[in-house]
Amino acid sequence: MVRNRTPRNRRSSRQDAVVVIGLGRFGRSLALELADEDTEVLGIDENPEVVQLLSGSLTHAVRADSTKEDALRQLAVHEFDRAVVAIGTDLEASILTASLLISFGIENVWAKATSEAHGRILTQLGVQHVVYPEHDMGQRVAHLVRGRMLDYIEFEDDFAMVKTDPPTAILDVPLSSSAVRTRYGITVVAIKRPGEGFTYATPDTVVRADDTVIVAGRTRATERFSELR
Ligand code: ATP
């Protein structure tokens, strides 16, 4: 396949813009969040009602079948550096779309997978970032349900950040004295006093009972810390 532009030209034209294909619940929320952060977004969906609904909120919202190469080229999708395939249920459409984006040489393609097999195929096609929203959100909520966490983010390699109420053992003394790192294997990263925003924690920070803290560390250590009373 002959590309219309060199990578340098492509980058200069659409460097910060993102194309989001499939504007269902996942794609829509992603596209709107990007638009909220002032990112130029081209949203594509084959359903005219969906496109109509989002036409005022995204930079461009266009009706097209993303499995058709000509349609994508007409929309200059091949000029983007970042694209998201947010089609899940229609496996064929997801795979065909992803394979076109990869053949365009788009540097960063994200695609939503609804199963492990779906994800494996996307990876084999060359999709750089495969995401599993339902699976990941299920895991995240499980952590919230099990512990006393207020929020939870797990990174790869067994590392997590947790927002939680502080346990009694660390209250009313500087963090350096409560030795949270050696005792609990976590680091208090930030602290929020009632009615105030989050600030970075320092060794001199004194945590009070009605504060909220964000801690980072190995997944199990952060969970154990959030379960302390
Ligand atoms: P969500 O859970 O995010 O709502 P879903 O996986 O249940 O998504 P899908 O049926 O996969 O929903 O479709 C998501 C969106 O992608 C829908 O709005 C649908 O119209 C659109 N879509 C599906 N196939 C194509 C296609 N070939 N071209 C363009 N848009 C498509």
Side-chain angles (χ1 to χ4, degrees):
M1 187 178 306
V2 180
R3 284 201 214 145
N4 289 351
R5 291 165 182 254
T6 62
R8 182 179 294 276
N9 284 341
R10 277 190 6 182
R11 209 166 288 134
S12 61
S13 57
R14 303 267 181 185
Q15 192 180 13
D16 297 321
V18 181
V19 56
V20 180
I21 301 177
L23 300 169
R25 287 162 299 180
F26 174 73
R28 190 177 313 172
S29 135
L30 187 143
L32 288 172
E33 186 69 17
L34 287 169
D36 255 14
E37 291 164 11
D38 293 329
T39 303
E40 191 184 323
V41 179
L42 167 61
I44 299 176
D45 201 291
E46 64 179 1
N47 181 340
E49 285 165 25
V50 170
V51 170
Q52 171 70 29
L53 194 75
L54 288 173
S55 61
S57 312
L58 307 180
T59 321
H60 306 282
V62 182
R63 183 184 169 268
D65 178 355
S66 61
T67 64
K68 302 278 187 287
E69 179 172 351
D70 288 352
L72 294 187
R73 283 196 178 275
Q74 267 177 26
L75 295 169
V77 168
H78 56 288
E79 295 181 4
F80 283 73
D81 286 340
R82 296 183 290 175
V84 183
V85 184
I87 303 171
T89 314
D90 188 342
L91 209 65
E92 191 179 336
S94 156
I95 290 166
L96 288 173
T97 304
S99 109
L100 283 172
L101 299 179
I102 295 295
S103 75
F104 291 160
I106 295 179
E107 285 166 25
N108 282 294
V109 177
W110 280 261
K112 158 182 154 159
T114 50
S115 68
E116 216 174 292
H118 184 187
R120 213 169 30 244
I121 295 167
L122 291 168
T123 304
Q124 282 165 357
L125 285 174
V127 172
Q128 299 89 341
H129 314 276
V130 177
V131 294
Y132 301 84
E134 285 92 354
H135 174 266
D136 292 354
M137 186 50 85
Q139 274 193 341
R140 184 154 172 261
V141 173
H143 286 283
L144 295 175
V145 168
R146 199 172 62 181
R148 293 167 58 238
M149 302 172 196
L150 304 170
D151 212 344
Y152 174 88
I153 304 173
E154 187 172 4
F155 304 96
E156 66 266 44
D157 301 324
D158 187 32
F159 196 82
M161 284 183 95
V162 167
K163 179 174 148 191
T164 186
D165 295 326
T168 331
I170 73 159
L171 298 181
D172 304 324
V173 290
L175 284 172
S176 53
S177 312
S178 51
V180 285
R181 276 192 201 156
T182 44
R183 215 173 279 170
Y184 307 107
I186 55 93
T187 300
V188 178
V189 180
I191 171 171
K192 179 176 161 58
R193 310 256 184 237
E196 294 177 21
F198 273 102
T199 53
Y200 295 112
T202 71
D204 301 327
T205 300
V206 176
V207 182
R208 308 280 179 214
D210 47 6
D211 292 343
T212 304
V213 292
I214 292 182
V215 305
R218 298 270 158 245
T219 304
R220 195 63 200 109
T222 56
E223 276 179 352
R224 268 201 298 264
F225 184 80
S226 77
E227 284 158 12
L228 295 172
R229 304 261 160 184

